[in-house]
């Protein structure tokens, strides 16, 4: 370049060129005097001399000019290519940008540039394959880890140390002091026959004194025995229509269909004195080559109709502080006890009365299924309450663009028994995902949003650890938590895939199922497997979140969309859940040696969910899905519109709110479609509106302390759509008892009440209208037309 500059100088001052050669000592920076004169004619001697000099200079400078032009062209081409690849939106998954910020930078040890979806997918799968899930499941299932035990404290320290060894930005522990209920070894629970005079007779065997129902009422219950099928409200109503009164009796109910807590709540609503819960062989069919539940095994299950510490409802249990000193309304006032199938068979043989309906018949050999009543029984429950410290353990990878938005994934750590399927699988997969994402960070992965990995304590007592954390940070989490992914109960078989989830996640689930290979159908994706026999794949796979799901409180209490998914056996329930037979060996036998492959598929599905949720420029939550949900649920009310009209009542308000929500969702979709994706400020505004859709469906008109589950579709209480529907059904019912009243959280009433209907309709309408308003955006964009 110096020579080129010299050539150009020479071309500009030709008269001094020879002087520079003679006067070597002349200062390097010389001045070229300029003289203002007109151009020389080309034909003149001076013109010919100048033209020759310019021509010579041009020949000498040409190679350098060409080289400079090539460098500029090459640089411009590369910049254009990168810009084109980053902006291509219709090129398929192989080019879809997951990390596309201008400020993106690879990790310190990375030699990569921008990571695209296919790059991240390959990076994730490569590092995931380096772990040993099977050994981790086996080792975890061998450890004593009952909540509050010394074994659990040791495991908590090991989990904390394992997280601390990874490339995480933060690792910490949250301790709560909660009220848990344990069996009293000095005074075990008992079951006796009672003679006609009311005296205690022979004691029936309760084979395992460790099997109990946490949060059962303590004390004694005496009464005649009645068989009540699954203990659902409709089952108990059927008993009444058959002339068998549940009130004052002890109910024998089968395990399954609804939770332990719902069975006891229904029995209490119908006036029963106590509940005995047993596993019927008809509900746990076993194949010739698969292990089954022993006849002398009872099944553990808590009976709090709610989640979290029932002695601090709506409030966190920090530092042994109990406030307020009240109990959850979901605690039962009647005793409950699990019994084995063998004991249930003894009881059924003593029952008299009418034969049970065909659909109520089970498979206990030699036991006729009659409704009863039968001989008297005396149930004594002596469980003891203890204030117990539990610890949740957290690890975090901070996001680079939206660090204040959290994608949360968690797994229950505690277990009443070996808990291989219940919590060992989830804990092992959680640790494997932490290790995998930590390795990805070292190789260039930088999520937009923060990833929060959590190991929960107290899960077997009703998601106590997770609910207490939600209660403690509710005002923060509903603004910042994007999604919760649960790993509990993830492997219960290998034939079918089920997802209990919010409607917001259905489209994303479908997309990820198409990316993960089936663990037992070679060459097929999970989506091809589940859609093979049913074109409506979501009807086959998707279920609403039940109260006994570990993800339920995130959605119904905190308004955070959540998912809990499971691989299950086709037509067969995993028989060992919540028993002492839930061992690694039995789980391995049920899966016919395929446990490692299924666990790997679970990890792949969960990991790719995390990548999409934490790294997509726009959150992949389908807010339009709730429009379909609203239409389907409110459609159930249409059949009663005539009955309401006859009383001068109308559902028009709720129909208008439904329409406003659907229009707001469509408007937001069009805004996003027509916006500039590179506008970070606008994208963040859209993401905030999208991530809070679930929260919009929490009723703002009821107290979280009085009605913790405020979700109008999933919650419990008079504000829910289910409660309104049950109330409206009373217009056509001569009975004051309504099937489903207990499960919706509404006590049986005195019939249809107009004042109550108006209040329910207002609660539902304004919650739905509030969701539509919030989705519309700013206040000047809202137009309420009633």
């Amino acid at each position: 370049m110096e020579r080129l500059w010299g050539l150009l100088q020479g071309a500009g001052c030709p008269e001094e060129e020879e002087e520079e050669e003679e006067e070597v000592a002349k200062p390097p920076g010389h001045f070229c005097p300029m003289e203002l004169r007109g151009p020389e004619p080309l034909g003149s001697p001076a013109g010919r001399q100048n033209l020759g000099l310019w021509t010579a200079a041009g020949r000498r400078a040409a190679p350098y000019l060409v080289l400079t032009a090539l460098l500029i062209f090459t640089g411009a081409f590369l910049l254009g290519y990168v810009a084109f690849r980053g902006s291509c939106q219709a090129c398929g998954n192989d080019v879809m940008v997951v990390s596309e910020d201008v400020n993106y930078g690879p990790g310190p040890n990375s030699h990569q540039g921008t990571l695209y979806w296919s790059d991240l997918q390959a990076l994730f799968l490569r590092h995931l394959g380096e772990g040993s899930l099977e050994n981790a499941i086996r080792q975890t299932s061998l450890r004593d880890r009952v909540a509050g035990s010394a074994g659990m404290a040791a495991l908590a320290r090991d989990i904390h140390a394992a997280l601390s060894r990874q490339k995480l930005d933060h690792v910490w522990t949250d301790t709560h002091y909660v009220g848990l209920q344990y069996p009293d070894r000095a005074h075990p629970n008992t079951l006796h026959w009672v003679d006609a005079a009311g005296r205690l007779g022979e004691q029936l065997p309760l084979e395992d004194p460790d099997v109990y129902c946490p949060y059962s009422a303590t004390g004694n219950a005496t009464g005649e025995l009645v068989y009540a099928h699954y203990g659902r409200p409709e089952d108990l109503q059927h008993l009444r229509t058959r002339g068998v009164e549940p009130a004052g009796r002890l109910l024998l109910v089968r395990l399954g269909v609804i939770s332990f807590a719902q069975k006891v709540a229904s029995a209490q609503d119908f006036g029963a004195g106590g509940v005995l819960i047993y596993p019927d062989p008809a509900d746990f069919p076993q194949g010739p080559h698969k292990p089954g539940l022993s006849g002398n095994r009872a099944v553990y299950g808590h009976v709090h109709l709610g989640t979290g510490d029932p002695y601090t409802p709506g409030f966190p249990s920090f530092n042994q502080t109990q406030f307020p000193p009240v109990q959850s309304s979901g605690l039962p006032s009647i005793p409950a006890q699990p019994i084995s199938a063998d004991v249930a068979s003894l009881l059924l043989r003593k029952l008299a009365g009418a034969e049970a309906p065909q659909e109520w018949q089970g498979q206990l050999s030699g036991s006729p299924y009659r409704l009863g009543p039968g001989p008297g029984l005396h149930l004594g429950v002596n469980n003891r309450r203890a204030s117990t410290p539990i610890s949740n353990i957290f690890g975090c990878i901070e996001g680079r663009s939206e660090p204040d938005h959290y994608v949360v994934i968690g797994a229950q750590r505690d277990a009443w028994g070996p808990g291989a399927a219940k919590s060992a699988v989830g804990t092992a997969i959680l640790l494997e995902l932490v290790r995998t994402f930590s390795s990805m960070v070292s190789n260039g992965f930088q999520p937009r949003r923060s990833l929060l990995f959590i190991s929960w304590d107290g899960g077997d007592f009703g998601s106590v650890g997770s609910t207490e954390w939600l209660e403690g940070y509710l005002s923060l989490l509903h603004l910042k938590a994007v999604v919760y992914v649960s790993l509990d109960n993830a492997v219960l078989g290998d034939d079918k895939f089920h997802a209990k989830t919010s409607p917001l996640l259905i489209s994303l689930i479908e997309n990820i199922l198409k990316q993960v290979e089936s663990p037992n159908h070679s060459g097929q994706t999970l989506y091809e497997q589940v859609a093979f026999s049913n074109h409506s794949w979501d009807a086959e796979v998707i279920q609403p979140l039940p109260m006994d799901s570990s993800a339920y409180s995130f959605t119904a209490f905190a308004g955070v969309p959540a998912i809990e998914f499971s691989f299950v056996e086709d037509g067969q329930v995993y028989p060992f859940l919540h028993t002492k037979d839930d061992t690694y060996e039995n789980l391995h036998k049920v899966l016919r040696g395929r446990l490692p492959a299924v666990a790997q598929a679970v990890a792949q599905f969960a990991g790719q969910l995390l990548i999409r949720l934490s790294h997509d420029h726009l959150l992949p939550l389908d807010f339009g899905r709730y429009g379909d949900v609203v239409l389907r649920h409110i459609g159930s009310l249409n059949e009663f519109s005539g009955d309401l009209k006859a009383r001068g009542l109308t559902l028009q308000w709720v129909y208008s709110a439904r329409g406003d929500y659907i229009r707001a969702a469509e408007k937001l979709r069009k805004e996003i479609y027509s916006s500039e994706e590179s506008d970070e400020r606008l994208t963040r505004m859209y993401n905030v509106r999208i991530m809070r859709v679930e929260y919009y469906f929490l009723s703002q008109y009821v107290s979280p302390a009085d009605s913790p589950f405020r979700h109008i579709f999933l919650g419990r209480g008079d504000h829910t759509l289910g409660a309104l529907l049950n109330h409206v059904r009373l217009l056509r019912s001569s009975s004051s008892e309504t099937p489903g009243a207990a499960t919706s959280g509404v006590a049986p009433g005195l019939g249809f009440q107009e004042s109550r209907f108006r209040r329910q309709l207002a609660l539902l309408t304004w919650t739905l209208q509030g969701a539509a308003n919030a989705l519309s955006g700013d206040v000047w964009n809202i137009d309420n037309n009633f």
Side-chain angles (χ1 to χ4, degrees), residues 580-595:
K580 290 189 175 180
D581 289 333
D582 184 15
T583 62
Y584 168 82
E585 289 75 20
N586 276 337
L587 181 60
H588 202 274
K589 288 177 184 176
V590 167
L591 270 73
R592 303 177 298 280
R594 301 192 53 77
L595 176 57

Side-chain angles (χ1 to χ4, degrees), residues 45-234:
R48 286 194 297 270
Q49 181 183 5
N50 287 343
L51 180 61
L53 289 171
W54 277 103
T55 303
R59 282 197 300 268
R60 282 176 284 180
Y64 301 98
L65 292 172
V66 171
L67 179 61
T68 302
L70 284 172
L71 289 172
I72 293 171
F73 175 81
T74 303
F77 175 83
L78 291 175
L79 285 172
Y81 173 76
V82 171
F84 169 77
R85 188 177 183 187
S87 63
C88 180
Q89 299 301 313
C91 304
N93 287 338
D94 290 337
V95 189
M96 185 176 68
V97 177
V98 178
S99 173
E100 54 195 349
D101 289 320
V102 176
N103 296 326
Y104 174 81
N109 302 320
S110 173
H111 302 291
Q112 304 180 40
T114 301
L115 293 174
Y116 299 88
W117 167 243
S118 56
D119 301 326
L120 284 174
Q121 195 177 35
L123 183 65
F124 169 73
L125 294 175
R126 182 169 71 251
H127 288 290
L128 181 66
E130 296 174 358
S132 178
L133 277 171
E134 184 177 16
N135 185 59
I137 295 169
R138 180 192 293 110
Q139 294 303 320
T140 304
S141 66
L142 292 174
R143 300 186 67 159
D144 171 30
R145 55 190 196 286
V146 175
S149 68
M152 172 53 91
L155 180 58
R157 290 191 294 270
D158 292 346
I159 297 288
H160 189 280
L163 297 186
S164 299
R165 288 193 294 269
Q166 302 302 326
K167 190 179 180 64
L168 303 177
D169 296 300
H170 310 282
V171 176
W172 74 98
T173 300
D174 219 10
T175 300
H176 301 267
Y177 294 81
V178 298
L180 303 182
Q181 200 185 68
Y182 301 96
D184 187 341
R185 298 295 178 84
H187 303 90
N189 299 340
T190 58
L191 184 64
H192 290 83
W193 292 114
V194 176
D195 63 21
R199 293 186 298 265
L200 296 185
E202 178 188 358
Q203 180 173 346
L204 286 98
L206 298 178
E207 294 94 339
D208 190 341
D210 292 334
V211 185
Y212 71 114
C213 287
Y215 302 125
S216 164
T218 57
N220 303 311
T222 303
E224 294 176 313
L225 182 67
V226 168
Y227 172 56
H229 200 209
Y230 291 111
R232 298 169 296 183
E234 54 266 38

Side-chain angles (χ1 to χ4, degrees), residues 697-759:
F697 290 107
L698 300 188
S699 177
Q700 305 300 307
Y701 308 101
V702 295
S703 164
D706 299 331
S707 300
F709 304 120
R710 295 177 291 151
H711 202 285
I712 60 173
F713 298 122
L714 290 176
R716 292 185 65 251
D718 235 21
H719 61 281
T720 64
L721 184 58
L724 175 64
L725 187 57
N726 283 332
H727 187 199
V728 170
R729 286 194 181 112
L730 292 177
L731 287 167
R732 301 182 183 178
S733 172
S734 59
S735 170
S736 62
E737 304 292 353
T738 304
T743 54
S744 67
V746 183
L750 300 175
F752 183 83
Q753 303 167 42
E754 183 176 324
S755 59
R756 180 184 166 203
F757 168 79
R758 290 183 180 277
R759 183 176 185 277

Side-chain angles (χ1 to χ4, degrees), residues 465-479:
S466 59
T467 302
E468 293 307 307
W469 182 68
L470 288 171
E471 289 175 342
Y473 304 102
L474 182 62
S475 58
L476 174 74
L477 290 172
H478 86 264
L479 297 171

Side-chain angles (χ1 to χ4, degrees), residues 544-628:
L545 283 166
M547 184 178 288
D548 56 353
S549 165
S550 59
Y552 177 81
S553 56
F554 273 85
T555 300
F557 174 71
V560 177
I563 174 176
E564 177 183 294
F565 55 92
S566 303
F567 283 90
V568 298
E569 292 292 283
D570 188 8
Q572 179 176 352
V573 178
Y574 178 71
F576 306 121
L577 207 61
H578 296 297
T579 74
K580 290 189 175 180
D581 289 333
D582 184 15
T583 62
Y584 168 82
E585 289 75 20
N586 276 337
L587 181 60
H588 202 274
K589 288 177 184 176
V590 167
L591 270 73
R592 303 177 298 280
R594 301 192 53 77
L595 176 57
V598 180
Q600 189 80 358
V602 169
Q604 288 184 26
F605 180 83
Q608 294 193 53
L609 269 178
L610 295 185
I611 293 174
R612 291 291 310 275
L613 288 165
S614 67
H615 222 334
D616 274 14
H617 199 78
L618 191 74
L619 278 173
L621 300 179
D622 190 355
F623 50 86
R625 281 271 184 173
Y626 257 119
D628 300 333

